[in-house]
Amino acid sequence: MENNRKRQIAILGSTGSIGTQTLQVVEEHPECFEVYAITANTRVDDLIAQARKFMPEAVVIADDSKYPRLKEALADLPIKVYGGYEAVCQIVEEGPIDIVVTAMVGFSGLRPTINAIKAGKAIALANKETMVVAGEMINALAMEYKTPILPVDSEHSAIFQCLAGEMHNKVEKLILTASGGPFRTFTKEQLEHVTKEQALKHPNWSMGAKITIDSASMMNKGFEVMEAKWLFGVGAEEIEVVVHPQSVIHSMVQFEDGAVKAQLGTPDMRLPIMYALTYPSRLSSSFGRIDWSTLGELTFEKPDLELFPNLRHAYEALAKGGNIPCVVNAANEICVAAFLNDRIRFTDMPRLIERAMDEAAYILKPTLEDYLETDKEIRRMVEEWIN
């Protein structure tokens, strides 16, 4: 690593799936990384355990009501303890931090990411909603502050790796692979009756509840299409989604001569996390390898947009632009929470999202304040419809 100095890392959302796996990467290479700050939303006991193990400089709990518990539990350690969402937004600006892993879930990741960019911190981007909601703004800020954005999503990391050394070659198409989720072979009738327990059983990946539901509905893949547009500067028509149930090829790039480059690996999020933290270098790891002798076949299918309309909604939102991707994200967050709380059916989610897209006030050139207001208003509307 650079100058043999340990990279100082801030992990936003350290108790979630990406956050805990980032800490595993740090454990794998303590000579390269040091945890400067960790944050969580509500999981205070997990955060306390992480703080005692990794001894960061600072710890933040976004839920103010959990702050006294955190403060008391870490009183015997020389760790700065903060509470509240504003503290999460501010901690990323601390001078020693080299890279911020944005592993928070949903819209809440937007403001801390903006602050980190303005503070000149490299961004290891796991919070795809940031690019979905405000990709144009984020790109402009990253360019203005000369801040690198390094993708952590396995699909975008794969494309990023395939593009290495190809800077001057024209890309014809980005090909995002999708597992198809647990309901790939279901009929429309079967989808009407699926349970949250079924939806939370992803066939290949171990992820948090929200992203697992998004994967089951293919909203996650729709978000990845939006994210890819802004990360790689291509049009929606240049992004293709193919269903690849084995999740071995993580995505591909097709060049103008017809050649296709693919990145393969085991379905292990620690690999793209580590690549984002070490880019442009690679480090050795103890993580799993593909066993080619037992791999079997790799298959590909066209996604069914009738069965999974959320993917279609994502392309439509990208075509409309403005604040409509923000509308889709806000509606989806409310829908996923309602589905997980048994308030709506699985198939209600795309219907409510489409209604939100139809009824939202359209803003062609939204400001940050417009995004915040759109998010707030759409959440209120969708909640009303559900109730």
Side-chain angles (χ1 to χ4, degrees):
M1 299 293 290
E2 175 189 3
N3 299 328
N4 292 320
R5 184 178 73 80
K6 292 184 183 183
R7 297 200 82 183
Q8 299 294 309
I9 301 173
I11 306 172
L12 307 184
S14 66
T15 61
S17 176
I18 295 296
T20 54
Q21 290 178 89
T22 301
L23 289 172
Q24 289 170 20
V25 171
V26 170
E27 278 190 283
E28 178 96 352
H29 286 285
E31 77 285 0
C32 296
F33 309 115
E34 204 162 68
V35 180
Y36 183 90
I38 52 177
T39 83
N41 185 26
T42 60
R43 294 179 188 166
V44 68
D45 290 332
D46 291 344
L47 190 63
I48 290 164
Q50 290 177 345
R52 299 196 78 88
K53 181 174 183 178
F54 290 93
M55 293 296 292
E57 187 75 17
V59 177
V60 187
I61 186 80
D63 183 346
D64 266 325
S65 69
K66 305 288 177 68
Y67 172 72
R69 162 101 176 100
L70 181 66
K71 181 78 172 169
E72 182 184 358
L74 300 179
D76 62 320
L77 298 175
I79 296 174
K80 297 170 189 165
V81 180
Y82 305 102
Y85 179 65
E86 288 303 320
V88 175
C89 295
Q90 291 167 16
I91 198 68
V92 298
E93 301 170 2
E94 290 291 310
I97 295 171
D98 296 306
I99 187 164
V100 177
V101 180
T102 61
M104 297 171 75
V105 176
F107 185 82
S108 62
L110 178 60
R111 279 186 54 216
T113 304
I114 288 173
N115 283 13
I117 290 171
K118 288 181 175 179
K121 312 302 183 185
I123 307 294
L125 185 73
N127 174 261
K128 60 174 62 69
E129 290 87 353
T130 292
M131 298 303 276
V132 168
V133 168
E136 190 170 11
M137 178 185 292
I138 294 296
N139 273 1
L141 286 170
M143 194 170 293
E144 180 182 350
Y145 291 93
K146 299 180 174 56
T147 302
I149 297 179
L150 305 159
V152 167
D153 265 355
S154 61
E155 294 82 358
H156 300 102
S157 176
I159 291 168
F160 188 59
Q161 293 178 60
C162 289
L163 289 171
E166 301 281 2
M167 192 179 300
H168 304 295
N169 291 320
K170 182 172 170 52
V171 171
E172 194 168 82
K173 189 188 292 183
L174 304 182
I175 304 163
L176 292 170
T177 55
S179 70
F183 306 132
R184 181 173 59 89
T185 60
F186 277 43
T187 63
K188 272 190 176 181
E189 292 70 32
Q190 285 176 306
L191 277 183
E192 291 284 349
H193 304 290
V194 301
T195 65
K196 68 181 177 187
E197 288 77 18
Q198 289 174 297
L200 286 168
K201 287 181 181 172
H202 195 280
N204 301 334
W205 295 93
S206 173
M207 305 177 290
K210 197 264 182 185
I211 192 173
T212 304
I213 300 301
D214 283 346
S215 182
S217 73
M218 290 202 77
M219 188 77 261
N220 188 53
K221 204 53 51 179
F223 284 162
E224 288 173 6
V225 170
M226 296 189 204
E227 188 180 0
K229 170 186 168 60
W230 299 114
L231 282 175
F232 305 111
V234 298
E237 68 284 357
E238 297 167 296
I239 306 169
E240 181 181 352
V241 173
V242 296
V243 175
H244 168 52
Q246 295 81 18
S247 296
V248 171
I249 295 177
H250 297 303
S251 276
M252 299 172 270
V253 176
Q254 181 172 306
F255 296 93
E256 65 176 341
D257 61 355
V260 178
K261 286 173 75 172
Q263 188 266 329
L264 288 71
T266 56
D268 186 336
M269 281 305 302
R270 293 174 298 179
L271 295 172
I273 290 167
M274 188 161 71
Y275 190 70
L277 294 181
T278 63
Y279 177 81
S281 305
R282 292 184 187 270
L283 296 180
S284 64
S285 84
S286 62
F287 310 149
R289 267 57 172 172
I290 294 173
D291 183 346
W292 297 100
S293 64
T294 61
L295 183 60
E297 61 181 2
L298 301 179
T299 61
F300 305 92
E301 307 162 10
K302 197 171 183 178
D304 187 335
L305 299 186
E306 291 303 311
L307 205 60
F308 300 103
N310 275 347
L311 182 55
R312 185 178 70 245
H313 295 339
Y315 274 102
E316 289 168 354
L318 206 51
K320 289 179 182 176
N323 66 330
I324 300 302
C326 181
V327 169
V328 171
N329 180 72
N332 181 66
E333 286 192 28
I334 294 299
C335 287
V336 170
F339 174 65
L340 287 170
N341 287 313
D342 301 311
R343 296 170 62 209
I344 60 173
R345 293 176 299 175
F346 185 80
T347 48
D348 289 330
M349 293 193 289
R351 293 170 190 149
L352 288 164
I353 291 166
E354 184 172 27
R355 183 177 173 186
M357 291 172 70
D358 290 341
E359 297 192 21
Y362 179 59
I363 303 170
L364 178 60
K365 294 284 185 185
T367 63
L368 178 58
E369 289 70 29
D370 291 328
Y371 287 130
L372 295 172
E373 187 56 39
T374 296
D375 179 76
K376 185 176 165 186
E377 177 60 16
I378 295 301
R379 287 170 190 270
R380 185 194 61 75
M381 280 171 52
V382 177
E383 276 287 359
E384 274 187 11
W385 297 338
I386 292 170
N387 291 332

